[in-house]
């Protein structure tokens, strides 16, 4: 059906209908725009969610990445991020393919509709003007006919009247003829206008208006077709990303299926295996033998000798199940801070040693009390002397507390230390390979410059080659250093055959070795403990293996002799001594010196038999005895 033939008289309704069609396009455009904004916001929220749960760059997250379920979760987050990207693609396509196109089309549609209705109104005005002309000519013809009729009646009346002169009758006759002529002319004019109007009216209602309405109909059908295409595009935009979304979901499914519980359980072993052997059987201690001892056997000298015999068994505890693993740190740590500088208002002491140590060496008497408490929940440590008088032990504990890690990873158990060292060696090897690749590339570049000087100066490459050579040497020295530590760890780690050696001969030899080490590690000529690599103690919240034939840790401390006095000192400034292992002094107080400064900025002093500790060397004036200086 055509609007021109069926709706020729519905100009106003068609105008309203086409306006409503434009408003519908605007409404649909707004709908797509809001959908695009929803997709954009959804993609942003999904990306933020993925970013929020991405692992941070720290050691804990690196440890977690070893497990399959953690890697699967990371893969899921990455796939979710790609999934969010597809929703961004949907938003972009909706904007470019629908919103932008419809906005442009709306402007064209409004312009076209305005033009068509302008032509329709112009044709309507023309036919109305022609109709008015027809009506005017018709009225004029009607008026002329009436005037001619009246003139004819007047002439007839004058002609019948015998009293009227002939001249008046002739005048009336001429007037009647003139009116008839004017009526005839008006009739001809009216007929012409009528013919013209009918022709224009026929053209208006059968040609002009149908053409205009046909254009409006075509415009409306194009608008509906464009809406149909946009609605199809609206669905196709989603359908286009479905394969990629499906791949993202498949990636999440594959990540979930890649989780291996057995492998994760094995990884727990690899991550926390210490390399230590479990404690042996607890030996039976026959206290009934004390009743058979003689008086001479229970003397002090014999008691001390019995403690030093390698055959005496030490107590063994189930150290792997102790919960309070931080007690060692609280018992063994000494002041972390370097000794404070003396007050600026007073002159420095002539005996002050300018240094800035990490911490003072641990003093013996308070340490024994603290270690006695610690041994109630920790296994006995053989030979305190082998702790190198706090140098190794305190550094390890301090590193754990302050968060720093030793370069040789000596704070870790043997197995974990071996893995860390091996990983460091592999990392350095990769760096060396990179540097060597750069060196080879620069060497080739230099050869090209030598053969073709116009391409560049060969001497410009030499500084970089020298720098790379120095880097390679540094890295190789680092590798050798870590390989040495790795060899040391691998030598110390017990083999499988050693775990089954439980014979008495093995225990006796082990006990004898420990006793000899203790004797050798007593004190060096300078008063400090020697640093034996084999006696290094790994201090961490890990079990410390102890041979069952070592002496009691508590007895080792209880039998220590009081250090002799090597001089006196006078306090130049007051010192509070808040840190563990220090002692507070008042200005001008006299104290006994029992251990001079070993280069760490602290001097060990005693007030009486029960009070001793460290004070900053720069806070006191030391007077050493002559025999102490000579020794």
């Amino acid at each position: 059906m055509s609007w021109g033939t069926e709706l020729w008289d519905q100009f106003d309704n068609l105008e309203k209908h086409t306006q409503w069609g434009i408003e519908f396009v605007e409404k649909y455009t707004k709908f797509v725009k809001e959908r695009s904004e929803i997709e954009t916001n959804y993609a942003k929220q999904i990306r933020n969610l993925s970013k929020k749960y991405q692992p941070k760059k720290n050691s804990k997250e690196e440890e977690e990445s070893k497990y399959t379920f953690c890697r699967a979760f990371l893969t899921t987050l990455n796939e979710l991020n790609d999934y969010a990207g597809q929703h961004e693609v949907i938003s972009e396509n909706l904007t470019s393919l629908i919103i932008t196109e419809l906005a442009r089309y709306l402007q064209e549609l409004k312009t076209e509709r305005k033009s068509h209705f302008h032509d329709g109104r112009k044709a309507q005005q023309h036919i109305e003007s022609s109709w008015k002309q027809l009506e005017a000519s018709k009225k004029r013809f009607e008026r002329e006919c009436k005037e001619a009729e009246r003139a004819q009646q007047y002439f007839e009346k004058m002609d019948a009247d015998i009293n009227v002169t002939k001249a008046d009758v002739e005048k009336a006759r001429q007037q009647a003829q003139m009116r008839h002529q004017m009526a005839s002319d008006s009739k001809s004019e009216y007929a012409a206008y009528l013919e013209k109007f009918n022709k224009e009216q026929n053209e208006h209602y059968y040609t002009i208006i149908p053409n205009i309405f046909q254009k409006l109909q075509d415009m409306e059908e194009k608008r509906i077709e464009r809406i149909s295409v946009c609605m199809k595009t609206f669905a196709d935009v989603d359908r286009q990303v479905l394969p990629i979304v499906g791949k993202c979901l498949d990636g999440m499914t594959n990540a979930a299926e890649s989780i291996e519980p057995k492998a994760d359980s094995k990884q727990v072993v690899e991550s926390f295996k210490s390399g230590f052997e479990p404690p042996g059987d607890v030996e039976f201690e026959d206290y009934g033998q004390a009743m058979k001892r003689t008086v001479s056997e229970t003397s002090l000298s014999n008691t001390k000798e019995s403690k030093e015999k390698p055959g005496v068994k030490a107590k063994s505890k189930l150290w792997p199940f102790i919960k309070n693993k931080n007690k060692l740190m609280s018992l063994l740590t000494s002041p972390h801070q370097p000794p404070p500088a003396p007050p600026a208002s007073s002159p420095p002491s002539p005996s002050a040693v300018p240094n800035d140590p990490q911490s003072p060496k641990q003093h013996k008497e308070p340490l024994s009390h603290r270690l006695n408490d610690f041994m109630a929940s920790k296994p006995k440590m053989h030979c305190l002397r082998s702790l190198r008088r706090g140098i190794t032990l305190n550094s390890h504990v301090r590193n754990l507390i302050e968060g720093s890690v030793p370069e040789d990873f000596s704070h870790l158990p043997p197995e974990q230390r071996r893995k860390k060292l091996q990983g460091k060696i592999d990392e350095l090897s990769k760096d060396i390979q990179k540097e060597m690749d750069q060196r080879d590339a620069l060497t080739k570049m230099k050869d090209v410059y030598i053969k073709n000087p116009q391409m560049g100066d060969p001497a410009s490459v030499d500084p970089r080659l020298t720098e790379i050579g120095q880097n390679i040497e540094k890295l190789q020295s680092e590798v050798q250093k870590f390989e040495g530590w790795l060899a040391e760890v691998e030598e110390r780690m017990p083999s499988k055959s050693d775990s089954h050696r439980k014979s008495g001969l093995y225990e006796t030899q082990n006990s004898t070795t420990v006793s000899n080490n203790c004797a050798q590690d007593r004190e060096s000529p300078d008063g400090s403990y020697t640093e034996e690599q084999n006696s290094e103690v790994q201090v961490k919240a890990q079990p410390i293996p102890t041979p069952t034939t070592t002496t009691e840790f508590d007895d080792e401390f209880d039998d220590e002799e009081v250090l002799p006095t090597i001089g006196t000192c006078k306090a130049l400034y007051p010192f509070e001594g808040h840190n563990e292992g220090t002692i507070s002094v008042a200005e001008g107080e006299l104290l006994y010196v029992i251990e001079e400064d070993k280069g760490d900025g602290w001097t060990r002093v005693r007030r009486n038999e029960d009070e001793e500790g460290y004070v900053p060397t720069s806070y006191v004036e030391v007077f050493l005895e002559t025999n102490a200086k000579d020794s």
Side-chain angles (χ1 to χ4, degrees):
M1 290 185 179
S2 175
W3 287 8
T5 57
E6 302 293 337
L7 302 176
W8 60 272
D9 57 345
Q10 299 297 321
F11 186 87
D12 294 337
N13 288 332
L14 288 179
E15 185 176 16
K16 294 178 181 178
H17 177 77
T18 52
Q19 178 62 31
W20 173 80
I22 292 177
E23 293 174 355
F24 180 84
V25 176
E26 292 176 343
K27 181 174 70 173
Y28 184 77
T29 304
K30 183 179 180 182
F31 159 75
V32 178
K33 186 179 296 184
E34 291 182 1
R35 164 72 191 282
S36 177
E37 292 174 355
I38 290 174
E39 293 292 341
T40 301
N41 294 333
Y42 178 69
K44 182 179 180 181
Q45 292 176 357
I46 291 294
R47 283 194 183 277
N48 291 339
L49 179 65
S50 176
K51 183 179 180 181
K52 177 181 179 181
Y53 286 92
Q54 284 285 346
K56 305 300 184 297
K57 299 298 182 181
N58 54 44
S59 59
K60 181 179 179 181
E61 296 294 342
E62 291 177 0
E63 292 293 330
E64 291 180 356
S65 63
K66 298 178 181 177
Y67 301 100
T68 58
F69 62 90
C70 292
R71 294 197 295 269
F73 181 57
L74 178 59
T75 303
T76 301
L77 293 177
N78 294 333
E79 295 292 347
L80 190 64
N81 191 62
D82 296 339
Y83 176 81
Q86 298 311 307
H87 284 276
E88 291 177 347
V89 171
I90 292 176
S91 176
E92 293 172 358
N93 290 340
L94 289 176
T95 301
S96 61
L97 299 179
I98 298 180
I99 299 174
T100 304
E101 291 297 323
L102 284 183
R104 181 179 58 82
Y105 175 69
L106 270 173
Q107 297 299 325
E108 298 176 357
L109 185 63
K110 291 178 180 179
T111 302
E112 183 180 0
R113 175 183 175 276
K114 183 178 180 180
S115 175
H116 293 329
F117 280 101
H118 176 73
D119 295 341
R121 290 189 183 92
K122 185 176 180 181
Q124 190 73 21
Q125 291 174 359
H126 179 75
I127 196 66
E128 289 177 357
S129 175
S130 180
W131 170 256
K132 289 179 181 179
Q133 290 178 356
L134 177 63
E135 287 293 323
S137 64
K138 179 181 177 182
K139 289 179 180 180
R140 186 164 54 252
F141 172 60
E142 181 182 6
R143 185 174 61 253
E144 293 297 336
C145 288
K146 290 179 179 180
E147 291 293 335
E149 183 67 25
R150 284 196 295 270
Q152 183 65 28
Q153 291 176 358
Y154 180 74
F155 167 70
E156 291 176 353
K157 181 180 178 182
M158 292 293 290
D159 188 40
D161 191 358
I162 58 174
N163 296 321
V164 178
T165 62
K166 189 176 180 179
D168 293 335
V169 173
E170 185 64 22
K171 183 177 179 181
R173 186 180 63 79
Q174 291 178 357
Q175 185 69 21
Q177 289 179 351
M178 185 184 67
R179 290 293 179 184
H180 279 290
Q181 184 62 39
M182 293 178 63
S184 177
D185 293 342
S186 299
K187 181 180 180 180
S188 300
E189 182 183 358
Y190 170 66
Y193 275 111
L194 180 61
E195 183 181 1
K196 177 184 177 183
F197 174 77
N198 288 333
K199 182 180 179 180
E200 290 179 352
Q201 180 177 253
N202 184 70
E203 185 180 5
H204 176 80
Y205 287 108
Y206 289 96
T207 304
I208 298 176
I209 291 299
N211 289 339
I212 294 175
F213 282 9
Q214 185 63 41
K215 292 179 181 179
L216 288 174
Q217 183 179 357
D218 295 341
M219 179 193 72
E220 185 69 9
E221 289 175 356
K222 289 180 181 179
R223 176 190 68 81
I224 297 173
E225 184 179 1
R226 179 61 67 89
I227 289 294
S228 174
V229 172
C230 290
M231 289 183 177
K232 183 180 178 181
T233 305
F234 184 82
D236 290 340
V237 166
D238 269 356
R239 187 175 289 108
Q240 289 173 1
V241 301
L242 285 181
I244 303 178
V245 171
K247 290 182 180 179
C248 295
L249 299 178
D250 292 341
M252 297 180 189
T253 302
N254 295 334
E257 293 175 351
S258 67
I259 297 176
E260 300 178 4
K262 296 293 184 183
D264 289 344
S265 298
K266 183 179 178 181
Q267 187 60 48
V268 174
V269 176
E270 295 295 328
S271 298
F272 300 110
K273 181 180 178 181
S274 65
F276 295 131
E277 295 294 334
D281 296 338
V282 178
E283 297 290 338
F284 177 76
E285 299 183 14
D286 191 359
Y287 291 101
Q289 296 294 334
M291 295 183 296
K292 301 179 181 180
R293 295 177 182 174
T294 61
V295 177
S296 61
E297 290 176 344
T298 58
S299 62
L300 178 60
S301 60
N302 291 338
T303 301
K304 290 184 178 181
E305 292 175 0
S306 65
K307 290 182 179 180
E308 296 177 358
K309 288 181 180 180
V312 179
K313 308 299 181 182
K315 297 179 181 179
S316 179
K317 294 181 173 58
L318 298 179
W319 42 267
F321 306 102
I322 297 176
K323 296 181 180 179
N324 190 5
K325 296 182 178 181
N326 295 324
K327 193 170 182 180
L328 176 62
M329 300 178 190
S330 63
L331 291 174
L332 299 183
T333 51
S334 57
H336 309 307
Q337 297 84 359
S345 59
S346 303
S349 171
S351 62
V353 181
N355 47 31
D356 189 14
Q358 292 294 328
S359 65
K361 293 178 286 295
Q362 196 70 15
H363 55 82
K364 298 180 182 178
E365 199 67 27
L367 178 61
S368 65
H369 293 304
R370 288 181 288 169
L371 285 176
N372 287 335
D373 297 335
F374 168 71
M375 294 309 295
S377 59
K378 291 288 182 181
K380 303 299 186 289
M381 295 182 182
H382 68 283
C383 190
L384 178 66
R385 307 288 187 179
S386 64
L387 295 180
R388 297 181 296 175
R389 214 182 71 178
I391 295 177
T392 302
L393 181 62
N394 287 342
S395 64
H396 291 172
V397 176
R398 183 167 61 253
N399 286 329
L400 289 174
I401 294 176
E402 295 178 354
S404 60
V405 178
E407 186 181 10
D408 59 351
F409 303 106
S410 56
H411 66 292
L412 297 175
E415 180 67 20
Q416 303 302 320
R417 184 185 181 192
R418 182 187 66 79
K419 291 180 181 178
K420 287 288 186 180
L421 292 173
Q422 186 63 50
K424 191 68 175 179
I425 292 173
D426 296 341
E427 181 181 348
L428 292 172
S429 299
K430 292 180 181 178
D431 294 340
I432 291 176
Q433 187 61 40
K434 291 181 181 178
E435 295 290 340
M436 294 177 67
D437 293 342
Q438 292 184 12
R439 183 181 61 184
D440 295 341
L442 290 174
T443 303
K444 292 180 181 179
M445 183 184 297
K446 184 177 181 181
D447 294 339
V448 172
Y449 288 169
I450 292 175
K451 294 178 182 179
N452 302 291
Q454 67 275 9
M455 297 183 65
D457 184 12
S460 63
V461 186
D462 292 337
R464 179 58 181 163
L465 286 174
T466 303
E467 180 183 356
I468 293 177
Q470 295 175 354
N471 294 340
I472 292 176
E473 292 179 0
K474 292 179 181 179
L475 292 173
Q476 288 176 346
S477 63
E478 288 289 321
V479 169
Q480 293 177 358
K481 178 173 63 175
F482 281 98
E483 286 178 346
W485 287 331
L486 180 61
E488 175 188 343
V489 172
E490 291 177 345
E491 290 177 0
R492 291 187 185 183
M493 291 183 63
S495 61
K496 294 182 178 180
S497 59
D498 294 339
S499 62
H500 300 289
R501 297 175 60 184
K502 296 183 179 180
S503 62
L505 177 61
Y506 171 74
E507 294 177 354
T508 303
Q509 291 175 350
N510 198 8
S511 174
T512 305
T513 303
V514 172
S515 301
N516 292 336
N517 287 338
C518 292
Q520 293 174 0
D521 292 340
R522 284 290 181 178
E523 286 191 8
S524 58
D526 62 347
S528 63
Y529 296 99
T530 57
E531 294 186 13
E532 291 290 335
Q533 289 185 349
N534 293 334
S535 64
E536 181 177 345
V537 177
Q538 305 296 334
V539 179
K540 193 183 178 184
Q542 296 286 346
I544 303 177
T546 306
T548 57
T549 59
T550 56
T551 59
E552 287 289 330
F553 195 89
D554 296 53
D555 296 338
E556 177 74 16
F557 274 89
D558 293 339
D559 294 339
E560 270 192 2
E561 298 179 358
V562 178
L563 292 177
T565 301
I566 60 175
T568 59
C569 67
K570 179 182 179 181
L572 301 176
Y573 319 104
F575 178 67
E576 297 295 336
H578 295 298
N579 295 330
E580 185 73 23
T582 60
I583 185 173
S584 59
V585 297
E587 183 178 358
E589 184 178 0
L590 294 176
L591 303 167
Y592 295 101
V593 179
I594 58 177
E595 182 179 333
E596 62 179 330
D597 189 356
K598 298 299 182 182
D600 57 2
W602 296 88
T603 300
R604 188 176 178 184
V605 299
R606 179 189 297 138
R607 180 178 287 113
N608 50 48
E609 294 182 358
D610 297 329
E611 293 186 63
E612 64 178 49
Y614 286 92
V615 295
T617 305
S618 58
Y619 273 55
V620 295
E621 184 177 4
V622 180
F623 307 95
L624 296 178
E625 298 177 359
T626 305
N627 55 354
K629 293 181 180 180
D630 295 339
S631 62

